[in-house]
């Protein structure tokens, strides 16, 4: 069964796609143009009641929320492709811990920067300068903690690549390129080496090549 | 080995405590007074670099982030107490999906209400009325989706109680009592029945009895 992934242009579905590539799972994408409101149609809201991307469909099994989808496929195809959950219960605990940190500490300030720097004109909103400043300050504190963590182990959960690293790919990519904040990564030695390592994985290069972000002009 | 849980007065550690009770795991609590800055001491920051609660210590195995901790103990003690992760991979996927919804859709607006209605005077901040209004509007939309979901299955992930339900307990409790927003639950028939069911579990009654929230006066 080929897994359908809705919304490949956006950041969160890219987490799912890179995970499926790492696991060697066949998939096809279903474009959803959020700027045309395709995520708010009655049909789409039947799949994802909040109107967010991604959704996956696998036969008659539907899932949403990118990190839930990643966990499901990383577990379902445990015996093939890259092991993304750690080998032991304790390693899995560390993977889950840093996956939660990505979701609750790292991604919210980057999301604010994406909305208020990258997308404000496309969305027709006034960029909130105070929120931009607060988000940048918050991001620096998080990245200082990341630098400390990555000085002790090669990847977030230990000396193995996992969902905790993979889940950072789309939003660190936004920082590097369209947001022009490469220095926040490059100024931190261990974080910079980690980024070079994970962003050079063939899976992520394939995602960038085949699923570019939407045209914002 | 008795599990140490730091910060039992606060909401997020209560997720962990109710999970440990459901699983029949022995634990002891370590009070952390965040209003006295005990979560920012060098010792505490060694355990949790962001200065948040909870942290658990289990021998020399330390974990933070409440939902990561719950997953770890629900899996480690899978064969005892209440099954909280579902019985199949597909049920687990649904548990993870709704656990992510709790974290990303439900809890952020309730957190804003807690900070700006319940804690603003204690924290010495001016309550942001615009944020309060936006958070209430967002919360109503989320709860409408919850009502629809719970009209189709008794619990979030299906006809079984799971981490997806359990994880809502501390913040729905805040809505009911100190925030005085009982009507947002009671006005929705299925959500109201779900709340009566899960809040009457002996585990949650024990948490409320033994670990009351901090005195805000």
């Amino acid at each position: 069964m080929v897994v359908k992934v809705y919304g490949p242009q956006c950041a969160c579905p890219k987490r799912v796609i890179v995970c499926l590539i790492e696991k060697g799972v066949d998939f096809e994408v279903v474009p959803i143009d959020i700027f045309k409101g395709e995520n708010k149609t009655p049909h789409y809201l039947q799949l994802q009641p909040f109107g967010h991307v991604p959704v996956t469909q696998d036969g008659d099994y539907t899932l949403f929320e990118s990190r839930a989808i990643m966990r499901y496929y990383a577990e379902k195809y445990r015996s093939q492709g890259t092991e993304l959950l750690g080998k032991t219960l304790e390693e899995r605990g560390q993977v889950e811990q840093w996956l939660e940190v990505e979701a609750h500490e790292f991604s919210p300030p980057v999301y604010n920067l994406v909305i208020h720097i990258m997308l404000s004109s496309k969305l027709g909103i006034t960029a909130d300068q105070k929120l931009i400043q607060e988000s940048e300050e918050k991001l620096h504190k998080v990245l200082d903690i990341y630098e400390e963590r990555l000085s002790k182990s090669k990847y977030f959960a230990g000396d193995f690549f996992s969902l905790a690293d993979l889940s950072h790919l789309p939003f660190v990519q936004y920082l590097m390129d369209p947001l022009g904040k490469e220095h926040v990564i490059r100024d931190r030695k261990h974080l910079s080496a980690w980024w070079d390592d994970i962003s050079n994985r063939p899976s992520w290069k394939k995602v960038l090549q085949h699923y570019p972000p939407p045209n914002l002009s």
Side-chain angles (χ1 to χ4, degrees), chain A:
Chain A
M1 191 72 72
V2 175
V3 180
K4 279 188 193 173
V5 184
Y6 288 72
Q9 307 98 319
C10 298
C12 296
K14 287 189 169 62
R15 276 193 201 105
V16 170
I17 293 174
V18 69
C19 173
L20 294 175
I21 296 171
E22 289 281 350
K23 297 304 292 179
V25 177
D26 287 340
F27 65 92
E28 61 185 34
V29 299
V30 184
I32 294 289
D33 190 335
I34 59 172
F35 297 113
K36 288 185 181 161
E38 290 176 359
N39 57 322
K40 300 289 184 185
T41 64
H43 170 71
Y44 190 80
L45 292 173
Q46 283 289 319
L47 297 175
Q48 214 297 2
F50 298 93
H52 298 163
V53 286
V55 168
T56 53
Q57 281 185 304
D58 193 351
D60 61 0
Y61 189 66
T62 303
L63 263 186
F64 55 85
E65 283 290 340
S66 61
R67 298 175 192 87
I69 298 170
M70 292 195 302
R71 289 181 179 101
Y72 174 74
Y73 285 103
E75 187 77 50
K76 182 172 181 178
Y77 295 100
R78 195 115 197 199
S79 62
Q80 72 181 54
T82 311
E83 172 56 72
L84 294 170
L85 296 169
K87 291 198 181 92
T88 64
L89 204 57
E90 282 62 40
E91 286 184 356
R92 170 82 187 250
Q94 294 297 311
V95 173
E96 294 291 350
Q97 172 183 289
W98 290 101
L99 194 51
E100 292 285 330
V101 167
E102 176 270 314
H104 297 291
E105 306 286 352
F106 171 76
S107 287
V110 181
Y111 176 82
N112 289 338
L113 298 179
V114 168
I115 296 294
H116 288 270
I117 296 178
M118 229 172 90
L119 296 181
S120 58
S121 62
K122 185 85 177 173
L123 295 172
I125 61 170
T126 307
D128 183 334
Q129 297 302 330
K130 182 164 171 277
L131 185 63
I132 290 174
Q133 190 185 332
E134 286 170 357
S135 298
E136 289 188 341
E137 288 168 5
K138 164 79 179 167
L139 180 62
H140 277 283
K141 286 183 188 169
V142 172
L143 296 183
D144 284 344
I145 292 169
Y146 278 14
E147 177 67 2
E148 170 72 12
R149 170 64 190 168
L150 294 169
S151 74
K152 292 179 183 157
S153 64
K154 191 174 176 189
Y155 300 101
F156 275 106
D159 288 323
F160 58 96
F161 178 74
S162 76
L163 285 187
D165 307 289
L166 181 154
S167 195
H168 283 84
L169 281 162
F171 272 18
V172 179
Q173 188 72 53
Y174 274 164
L175 283 175
M176 297 302 281
D177 187 6
L179 283 169
K181 296 197 177 295
E182 193 167 276
H183 64 280
V184 302
I185 305 297
R186 294 303 179 205
D187 287 351
R188 294 171 171 90
K189 180 181 149 194
H190 297 96
L191 190 60
S192 183
W194 167 84
W195 175 247
D196 285 338
D197 182 296
I198 69 165
S199 62
N200 277 303
R201 292 181 76 89
S203 58
W204 185 242
K205 289 185 166 180
K206 195 168 172 183
V207 169
L208 289 183
Q209 184 186 345
H210 291 283
Y211 312 102
N215 183 355
L216 298 180
S217 59

